Amino acid sequence: NKELAKDLLMKEVKRYKGESIDDRPYIMELRRSYYAHIEKEINQIKLYKLVNKLSTPLEAFFGNMSKDKLNRRSGVDVVVLDNKANIDQLRVIYNALIQPITYVQGPPGTGKTATIINVLISAFFNGQTVLVSSNNNKPISDIFLKFQNLKSKDIPIPLPFLRLGNSDETLKSLNGLKEIINRYQKYQSDESKLELQAQNKKKKLKEINMLLDRHEHIIELEEEIDALKLLQEKLNDNLKKVSISAILNSKENELSKLKPVNNEDIEPLLTKVDNNFLTWLFFTSIKNIKRIFEPKNKELLDIIQSDNDDEKVKAFNSYTAKEENFHNLIRIFPIILTTNQSAYKLGPQKPYFDLVIIDEAGQCSIGPSLFAISRGKRLLLVGDQNQLSPVISIAPETNRVLMSKYQIPSAYDYLKNSILLTMQKQDTISKFVLLRYHYRSRREIIEFSNKKYYKNQLK
């Protein structure tokens, strides 16, 4: 009885001056943020899975990786920007350029960022396209800033590496491109000289690549021998044991003929990037950037040269949402850096890139990482399972109910896994490299972590 309740309240209100009964109706609107692109991205992966058209990294995500997908020989050239790369870092570069998936565990101070930078330079030298992403802006910005210090004869090299992401980052890059186009369009590149410099560099790299090829073959043989010995111990069938012994002997014999490779073999061959290579890098970068003047790229050029900052990012995102436009974009800018959350803006979901690199993958949650992973033919995950895990806001009880309701395997538990852990639980076939050489701290400081977390493997 609302009227009676109001009368009773009025008796109390009269005691206090200035008070009144507020009986007006109140309307409450309950809102829920909903990001349409998430459903679109996940549905596209579902569709690819349904028609058996998943890329190899996505096949591995669903637990369908097999040994026949691994590559045995290289045909690529490993390039490093200085003479400090160790054999573990070189293994990462080598495998990233040829293997469908490579997992890298990088403890603190082992040169993860330096390794990624060398992967990118090597990929560019080999004509490969790369997407670099991470959970947040900092690791992406750190990598991008390192490249801005590269110079050829004291002139900054305008590497065709594009930094994208949120509106602020994208606008900053577009305005920077406007300046680069104006500054470097006067330079002319000689195709024949560029090709000659590239061939000279390849000759110098030949010996390193042969050593790396041998080193990887030795590691593969050692892993196969360990697996065969373990199988032999578990078998009760004598006939099968004899068969395995024959294979084991053959593998051990092959291994005994291969000379081990170590840092001492590699170091004399690691010459710092010389002026000739920097000249090649400078003019090849300009050659890429000048493609923007081709008639088919007029719309992109108009967007970059626009003075309307408010409309520029919106126009650019609309432009890159179209598949043909995005293909044209990565022909000019073969290396793109962005966050996992922003990767959905890079054209309709397809494996455009030869390689996707996810940095700090141990801190990247599963869902948004798939936006980046689904856009590459190959995958390099760099992180450390012993460092911080992703910060997930879902309530543990909600997570438990959903996992139970939809019968989700534990490997995909959002609260307990990063994309790095999930992928490694689902894929035990792909290459794994531990960066063992620590450069940052005094021995007494890193020794604790070395014993507690890294099984005394750090050097």
Side-chain angles (χ1 to χ4, degrees), residues 12 23 38 81 85-86 88 122 129 219 231 243 252 270 277 317 328 348 353 363 367 400 425 428:
E12 295 299 314
D23 59 350
I38 295 176
L81 284 178
N86 60 55
D88 295 341
S122 296
T129 54
I219 289 168
L231 183 61
S243 175
E252 287 177 331
L270 277 176
F277 180 73
N317 287 337
N328 291 337
F353 296 92
Q363 295 179 34
R400 189 189 64 75
K425 286 176 181 177
T428 57

Side-chain angles (χ1 to χ4, degrees), residues 1-11 21 23:
N1 189 329
K2 285 190 286 182
E3 291 303 318
L4 178 59
K6 187 177 175 182
D7 290 342
L8 290 169
L9 283 168
M10 279 299 293
K11 289 177 184 176
I21 298 292
D23 59 350

Side-chain angles (χ1 to χ4, degrees), residues 29-248:
E29 180 184 15
L30 186 63
R31 283 192 174 206
R32 181 179 179 184
S33 295
Y34 177 74
Y35 300 98
H37 70 269
I38 295 176
E39 186 175 23
K40 187 179 175 185
E41 289 287 311
I42 300 302
N43 280 341
Q44 189 59 56
I45 293 172
K46 277 167 64 177
L47 179 62
Y48 285 141
K49 192 171 188 296
L50 210 62
V51 297
N52 295 318
K53 286 190 176 178
L54 288 171
S55 63
T56 303
L58 285 176
E59 285 279 17
F61 176 79
F62 288 110
N64 299 322
M65 189 59 185
S66 57
K67 280 199 170 184
D68 61 296
K69 291 175 182 172
L70 300 178
N71 287 322
R72 297 293 173 193
R73 289 291 175 265
S74 66
V76 295
D77 297 296
V78 171
V79 183
V80 294
L81 284 178
D82 57 38
N83 56 356
K84 295 175 186 174
N86 60 55
I87 197 160
D88 295 341
Q89 293 170 341
L90 291 170
R91 281 192 67 208
V92 173
I93 303 163
Y94 178 88
N95 283 300
L97 294 175
I98 65 166
Q99 294 298 348
I101 302 163
T102 307
Y103 302 110
V104 178
Q105 182 174 11
T110 52
K112 293 191 295 290
T113 302
T115 305
I116 290 172
I117 284 166
N118 284 327
V119 170
L120 292 176
I121 287 293
S122 296
F124 185 58
F125 185 71
N126 286 277
Q128 296 187 12
T129 54
V130 188
L131 168 63
V132 188
S133 71
S134 191
N135 190 51
N136 56 59
N137 285 304
K138 190 182 184 310
I140 299 302
S141 297
D142 288 348
I143 293 166
F144 190 64
L145 286 170
K146 296 272 186 185
F147 285 117
Q148 293 187 319
N149 295 325
L150 272 181
K151 292 181 178 180
S152 173
K153 296 174 183 175
D154 294 327
I155 303 171
I157 298 174
L159 285 165
F161 294 6
L162 192 56
R163 168 73 166 95
L164 301 175
N166 59 32
S167 296
D168 290 342
E169 290 293 345
T170 302
L171 181 61
K172 198 190 302 178
S173 288
L174 293 175
N175 287 337
L177 281 175
K178 185 177 179 179
E179 187 185 330
I180 285 169
I181 289 166
N182 293 335
R183 188 192 307 166
Y184 291 98
Q185 62 179 321
K186 62 183 179 184
Y187 288 92
Q188 298 295 324
S189 57
D190 187 322
E191 293 289 332
S192 59
K193 283 184 180 177
L194 285 178
E195 182 57 31
L196 185 63
Q197 285 170 337
Q199 291 306 320
N200 288 338
K201 185 66 179 172
K202 286 181 180 185
K203 284 175 190 173
K204 289 182 180 179
L205 294 168
K206 192 174 180 182
E207 200 170 345
I208 287 182
N209 286 303
M210 285 171 65
L211 284 175
L212 287 172
D213 204 32
R214 191 209 308 165
H215 187 57
E216 286 304 316
H217 190 42
I218 288 169
I219 289 168
E220 284 169 14
L221 284 171
E222 288 172 342
E223 287 172 352
E224 287 171 9
I225 288 166
D226 287 344
L228 286 167
K229 283 180 177 176
L230 193 63
L231 183 61
Q232 198 177 43
E233 286 173 16
K234 291 183 177 181
L235 280 175
N236 295 319
D237 190 320
N238 286 330
L239 195 62
K240 285 182 179 176
K241 276 189 175 183
V242 170
S243 175
I244 285 171
S245 288
I247 300 169
L248 188 57

Side-chain angles (χ1 to χ4, degrees), residues 42 71 75 83 114 117 123 143 188 190 215 221 269 284 306 338 345 359 380 409 418 438 448 454:
I42 300 302
N71 287 322
N83 56 356
I117 284 166
I143 293 166
Q188 298 295 324
D190 187 322
H215 187 57
L221 284 171
L269 302 171
T284 303
S306 167
T338 189
K345 299 173 187 174
D359 190 17
L380 173 66
S418 62
H438 176 88
F448 168 78
Y454 302 109

Side-chain angles (χ1 to χ4, degrees), residues 346-357:
L346 306 178
Q349 191 192 100
K350 281 190 176 180
Y352 302 100
F353 296 92
D354 295 309
L355 174 66
V356 169
I357 301 172

